[in-house]
């Protein structure tokens, strides 16, 4: 406990300085960030270049960014033809210049329907985000007022909601006696939307991803981005400080955008073969494995078990589907603090393989593929210690995840299995 308090004091001292020493902060974060007092959320905002080094600039930066995000919602979430009065939402007649059947490529309605195609995939993905915990199904205590009080007009899921099927059975009994039995059947929803005036966390994440896709049309939304934004939003929305928690959505959006600027090439298929693409990352992992454990590398080569069969998801989603959420947060502490920007991710993936060497050396192709695609439960300290050894770095593991584990445990749904999806799947 004394060691824990000493480390916590180191973080408090580093974060309370007038000008944050990023190099020192990265060194501290690499060994794990305590979850007390929202320390992890603040560190991530600094490591992802959302907050400047000077504390005196924080208020101005936060105010500008949050106001900008508010404008994004007002400009991009409003359906065509809707205007917002001071008192209520009303409709504006735009049929003279623009209408839903317009073939004009500049039509607002054309863009609206095209956006809905992307939104449909986002809506599916966010409804199955972190299914092993109930956090994302619960109501946020900081809903967006302009969305939740719009009589449903600005709720994104309404634009792609599941179809309602109506049918009627007609029975004729005798002369002129007809009985019509009307039945209504709704498609099942995984995560039910909240009532007017409130919204679930998954609805907030859906809005973040939709706005990101709108603002990045060259890339748009790619399946798997939901697994990247999920842990960031969870970290910010779980902040014990209510004032920080109030702006978790806006802060998450800009941190996610900054992170995607660094890893976006993993999600662009045309760049797979480029030096910055995912295939090059998998080649680096293969070379790392060959240099640190030749027998395991040779065995996988002999079985023709390519890195593409298992490491594509590891690297693209930054291991967010291979470990429980508390362990993912701990892994990302080290990844965000990596001076070489995610080169440590290669070492973690290599450590995961090496730690399974006995099973891999004795297993055949089917058993090894299954093992690597479904990484077994393992103490994250063991994995990170091995990865640090492979990278040549000194590693000190301290139990900082106790608090976050407790909070996650309160949301556990033990009856729901953990699902895994490849970002390239079209589910």
């Amino acid at each position: 406990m004394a060691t824990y308090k000493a480390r916590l004091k180191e973080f408090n001292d580093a974060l309370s300085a007038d000008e944050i020493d990023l190099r020192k902060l990265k060194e501290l974060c690499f060994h794990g960030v305590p979850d007390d007092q929202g320390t992890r959320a603040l560190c991530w905002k600094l490591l992802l270049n959302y907050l400047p080094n000077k504390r005196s600039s924080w208020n101005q930066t936060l105010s500008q960014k949050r106001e900008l995000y508010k404008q994004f919602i007002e400009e991009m979430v409003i359906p065509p033809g809707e205007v917002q009065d001071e008192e209520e939402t009303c409709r504006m007649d735009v049929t003279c210049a623009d209408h839903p059947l317009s073939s004009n490529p500049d039509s607002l309605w054309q863009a609206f329907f095209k956006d809905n195609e992307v939104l449909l995939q986002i809506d599916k993905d966010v409804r199955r985000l972190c299914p092993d915990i109930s956090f994302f199904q619960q109501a946020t205590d900081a809903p967006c007022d302009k969305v939740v009080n719009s009589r449903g007009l600005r709720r994104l899921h309404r634009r792609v909601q599941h179809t309602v099927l109506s049918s009627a059975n007609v029975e004729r009994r005798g002369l002129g006696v007809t009985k019509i039995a009307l039945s209504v059947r709704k498609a099942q929803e995984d995560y039910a939307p909240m009532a007017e005036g409130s919204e679930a966390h998954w609805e907030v994440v859906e809005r973040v991803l939709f706005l990101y896709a709108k603002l990045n049309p060259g890339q748009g939304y790619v399946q798997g981005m939901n697994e990247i934004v999920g842990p960031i939003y969870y970290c910010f929305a779980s902040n014990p400080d209510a004032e920080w928690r109030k702006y978790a959505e806006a802060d998450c959006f800009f941190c996610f955008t900054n992170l995607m600027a660094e890893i976006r090439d993993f999600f662009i298929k045309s760049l797979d073969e480029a030096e910055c693409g995912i295939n090059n990352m998998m080649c680096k992992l293969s070379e790392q494995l060959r240099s640190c454990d030749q027998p395991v590398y040779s065995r996988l080569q002999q079985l023709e078990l390519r890195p593409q069969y298992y490491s594509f998801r590891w690297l693209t989603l930054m291991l967010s589907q291979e470990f429980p959420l508390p362990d993912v947060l701990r892994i990302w502490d080290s990844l965000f603090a990596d001076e070489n920007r995610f080169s440590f991710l290669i070492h973690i993936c290599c450590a995961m393989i090496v730690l399974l060497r006995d099973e891999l050396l004795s297993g055949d192709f089917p058993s090894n593929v299954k093992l690597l695609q479904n990484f077994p439960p393992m103490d994250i300290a063991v994995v990170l210690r091995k990865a640090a050894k492979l990278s040549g770095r000194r590693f000190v593991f301290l139990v900082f995840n106790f608090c976050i584990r407790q909070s996650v445990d309160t949301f556990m749904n033990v009856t729901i299995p953990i699902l895994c999806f490849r970002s390239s799947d079209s589910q």
Side-chain angles (χ1 to χ4, degrees), residues 25-44:
L25 182 64
K26 287 180 178 179
E27 185 61 31
L28 287 172
C29 292
F30 180 80
H31 300 291
V33 182
D35 192 59
D36 285 10
Q37 307 161 5
T39 306
R40 171 176 280 119
L42 182 56
C43 287
W44 283 15

Side-chain angles (χ1 to χ4, degrees), residues 334-389:
S334 295
L335 295 184
F336 293 163
D338 185 5
E339 285 285 354
N340 298 319
R341 271 319 197 200
F342 309 117
S343 65
F344 191 60
L345 178 59
I346 298 290
H347 296 295
I348 297 177
C349 294
C350 188
M352 292 165 62
I353 299 173
V354 173
L355 289 170
L356 298 176
R357 79 183 311 270
D358 292 340
E359 294 90 334
L360 293 173
L361 290 174
S362 61
D364 56 9
F365 181 88
S367 61
N368 284 350
V369 167
K370 184 178 180 180
L371 181 64
L372 292 171
Q373 289 184 350
N374 301 275
F375 193 77
M378 189 175 295
D379 186 350
I380 193 59
V382 175
V383 178
L384 291 175
R385 189 178 296 112
K386 184 66 176 179
K389 183 178 180 181

